[in-house]
Amino acid sequence: EQRMSVIRLSKRLKDYGLQSKTEIVIILGGPHASLMANGMADKYGFIDHFIIGEGEKSLERILRGDKNRILKSESIKNLDDLPSVFHGIKLFGDEYFASNILPMDEVPIIFGRGCTDNCGFCSTTKFWRGYVSRSADSVIREIDLYYNYLKK
């Protein structure tokens, strides 16, 4: 099961950090962590943070020093307000970003979240509560950013 694989990997990473005297911060999010954050926090003391709901704003809070173990974000109503992967350039610097993030064969672009259907076998509508999409202009601007950055 994927959830248990993530927990085992998280434990191995935390143990490695302790042995090598390297601080490794483990952050879990997604549907399971969102629904079971309190129980998981009690059971898995090696996980530093649990994010309930959409993670971008909570992750930014963690990066700015928030020490709360369980963080909850309000749903993001306008996906155009989310920073693109290029926000990483501002956080980590151009050289780090170019050598560690962008040497990929593909580039992730979020077009929307959720689903318009309500299938009984799927948790997507329970987790995302409807469908939200980015504007075409926002997506095109991000594609242009990637194109112009990668052709350097």
Side-chain angles (χ1 to χ4, degrees):
E1 181 177 303
Q2 183 181 12
R3 171 180 56 98
M4 292 311 298
S5 295
V6 167
I7 290 169
R8 283 190 298 272
L9 177 60
S10 298
K11 177 73 170 122
R12 287 177 57 200
L13 287 168
K14 188 57 92 169
D15 289 346
Y16 172 80
L18 292 171
Q19 291 170 3
S20 65
K21 295 182 176 40
T22 303
E23 182 182 8
I24 295 178
V25 177
I26 306 292
I27 304 168
L28 245 55
H32 193 84
S34 291
L35 295 172
M36 305 291 294
N38 289 319
M40 291 179 77
D42 291 342
K43 189 170 183 176
Y44 304 111
F46 57 89
I47 298 173
D48 299 293
H49 301 281
F50 294 88
I51 294 178
I52 298 174
E54 298 179 62
E56 290 86 357
K57 293 184 189 269
S58 292
L59 183 57
E60 185 174 355
R61 287 172 37 204
I62 292 168
L63 292 172
R64 294 185 187 282
D66 192 323
K67 299 294 184 202
N68 287 312
R69 191 133 185 253
I70 299 174
L71 295 98
K72 182 176 182 182
S73 292
E74 298 299 318
S75 293
I76 297 168
K77 303 292 184 221
N78 184 356
L79 296 183
D80 290 351
D81 292 340
L82 290 177
S84 73
V85 173
F86 278 89
H87 188 63
I89 293 173
K90 294 177 193 166
L91 290 175
F92 301 109
D94 190 63
E95 185 177 317
Y96 173 87
F97 189 79
S99 61
N100 292 290
I101 306 298
L102 284 179
M104 324 182 243
D105 294 330
E106 55 197 43
V107 179
I109 298 177
I110 296 173
F111 290 88
R113 288 187 175 164
C115 184
T116 58
D117 296 323
N118 195 18
C119 302
F121 59 83
C122 181
S123 67
T124 297
T125 55
K126 308 316 184 253
F127 187 71
W128 293 110
R129 308 272 187 227
Y131 182 78
V132 180
S133 63
R134 289 176 62 191
S135 69
D137 286 344
S138 171
V139 173
I140 291 168
R141 277 194 310 273
E142 185 170 353
I143 291 170
D144 282 342
L145 279 170
Y146 284 123
Y147 177 78
N148 290 319
Y149 189 84
L150 292 171
K151 74 177 188 179
K152 284 184 184 179

